[in-house]
Amino acid sequence: MKKIIFLIILFSSIASFSQEQLMLEVDLLLNNNGNGKLRVTNSSGQTLYESYGVVDNYGIILNLTAASFPLTLEWRAGLNAGCTTQSWTYTWSEYFAGKTFTGGCAPEYFYLRSPYINKATVPVGVCETIAGGIYVSYYSTTGNFPWTLIKAPYTTAGIPELGASFRGALHVKSDIDSYYANPKVTMSSKVTTLTIIGCSPELDGQPIPEKTKCKYESSGSATIKFKTDLKDGDKFLFNIFKNGVFDKSIFVTKDQIINKTYIWSGLAEGSYYIKYQAQTTTDNNTLVGSTAITTDPFSIGSPDPLTFTITQLQPNCHNQQGAVTVTASGGTSPYYYMIDSETLAQKHPLTFDAIELSEGDHKVKVVDSNSCTEK
């Protein structure tokens, strides 16, 4: 007994499409005088393809838009196919590049395929897949003739004429043909223009956070280490997110990376993660694209707020001086104090000893080892 076969194959990278022209190959493969039937209808119920096979294979290329979906595929097996299920209906809900759908049972099969070209609206990394599948694809750096064949592994870096140093606009198209049809039907896809950027150096571990010096300051930092150096002619674009919300972007040039390490300073207390990518030094785009690397979340902590208390000690005799004792907590020890107009340069270590003061009003200021004050 022969079983009906349903198979969907997807590329590892899939890009969805908008209302532009989409292409879909339809093939009907029939043998042994089979008379299987395949009908394809669009979202409005309009028949796009319908065929009763008689020996010869039959194929067509459909030009669609996203509005054509969902498609309805209706299959009825031929008399000589020996299928356990004679007919069935399948809904293809959404167009995806690089998808293959096949069904039927020996010796009758049908195939529907969509060509794969990376359709990202954000920049595409030089190491990302730009085209591939069973179709022949071509590229051009001008968008005009001559078009050059793209060979595996279908990345910009894998194209010998371009290499890993290529940056800028790359125009790509694909020939799509009815693979099994006799005779074949062939046509070219629309030209897609991709903006190629560099692929970023990978993280060497996760960011190492350093807490703020004072509770109220933005003096925390995150140390980021990379496995490889930034390429000449590239710079880093960093996007930082604080408490789940985009905070700001910065550019970091190669000379700011020391021993494959960058320290992002000026961070306040909070939860963060960073997205970054490499791009050319002339590219002033401030939002990362599809090649961005995202760090794990990390937290910038802060010390407890500095507080202190003063206890007055009144003199016992008229010829004695008054005194105070000062107790501090929070912040970062050790602690120091200043009396009246004394500056940081004149600070005194704070101990448990009483501090003698002359008669009159006085001001006492306490700082910790980071010169933080009570707020």
Short mmCIF file of all heavy atoms in Angstrom, two decimals, residues 140-146 169 171:
data_model
loop_
_atom_site.label_atom_id
_atom_site.label_comp_id
_atom_site.label_asym_id
_atom_site.label_seq_id
_atom_site.Cartn_x
_atom_site.Cartn_y
_atom_site.Cartn_z
N SER A 140 24.65 42.05 -8.97
CA SER A 140 25.28 43.16 -9.68
C SER A 140 25.52 44.27 -8.66
O SER A 140 24.69 44.50 -7.78
CB SER A 140 24.39 43.67 -10.81
OG SER A 140 24.87 44.92 -11.31
N THR A 141 26.64 44.95 -8.76
CA THR A 141 26.91 46.07 -7.86
C THR A 141 26.36 47.37 -8.41
O THR A 141 26.35 48.38 -7.71
CB THR A 141 28.43 46.22 -7.63
OG1 THR A 141 29.09 46.35 -8.90
CG2 THR A 141 28.98 45.01 -6.89
N THR A 142 25.87 47.35 -9.64
CA THR A 142 25.32 48.56 -10.26
C THR A 142 23.82 48.46 -10.50
O THR A 142 23.15 49.47 -10.73
CB THR A 142 26.00 48.84 -11.61
OG1 THR A 142 25.72 47.77 -12.52
CG2 THR A 142 27.51 48.99 -11.43
N GLY A 143 23.28 47.26 -10.46
CA GLY A 143 21.87 47.07 -10.77
C GLY A 143 21.62 46.89 -12.26
O GLY A 143 20.47 46.74 -12.69
N ASN A 144 22.67 46.89 -13.04
CA ASN A 144 22.57 46.74 -14.49
C ASN A 144 23.50 45.63 -14.96
O ASN A 144 24.24 45.04 -14.17
CB ASN A 144 22.93 48.07 -15.19
CG ASN A 144 21.99 49.18 -14.81
OD1 ASN A 144 20.78 49.04 -14.89
ND2 ASN A 144 22.56 50.30 -14.35
N PHE A 145 23.48 45.35 -16.24
CA PHE A 145 24.38 44.38 -16.84
C PHE A 145 25.82 44.81 -16.58
O PHE A 145 26.13 46.01 -16.61
CB PHE A 145 24.11 44.31 -18.35
CG PHE A 145 24.92 43.27 -19.06
CD1 PHE A 145 24.51 41.95 -19.07
CD2 PHE A 145 26.10 43.62 -19.69
CE1 PHE A 145 25.27 40.99 -19.73
CE2 PHE A 145 26.86 42.67 -20.34
CZ PHE A 145 26.44 41.35 -20.36
N PRO A 146 26.78 43.90 -16.32
CA PRO A 146 26.59 42.45 -16.35
C PRO A 146 26.12 41.89 -15.00
O PRO A 146 26.46 42.43 -13.96
CB PRO A 146 28.00 41.94 -16.68
CG PRO A 146 28.90 42.96 -16.03
CD PRO A 146 28.19 44.28 -16.18
N ALA A 169 25.72 48.82 -1.64
CA ALA A 169 24.53 48.28 -2.30
C ALA A 169 24.88 47.06 -3.15
O ALA A 169 25.85 47.07 -3.90
CB ALA A 169 23.88 49.35 -3.17
N HIS A 171 22.78 44.32 -5.70
CA HIS A 171 21.52 44.05 -6.38
C HIS A 171 21.48 42.56 -6.73
O HIS A 171 22.42 42.01 -7.31
CB HIS A 171 21.41 44.90 -7.64
CG HIS A 171 21.71 46.35 -7.39
ND1 HIS A 171 20.78 47.24 -6.92
CD2 HIS A 171 22.87 47.05 -7.51
CE1 HIS A 171 21.33 48.43 -6.78
NE2 HIS A 171 22.60 48.34 -7.13
#
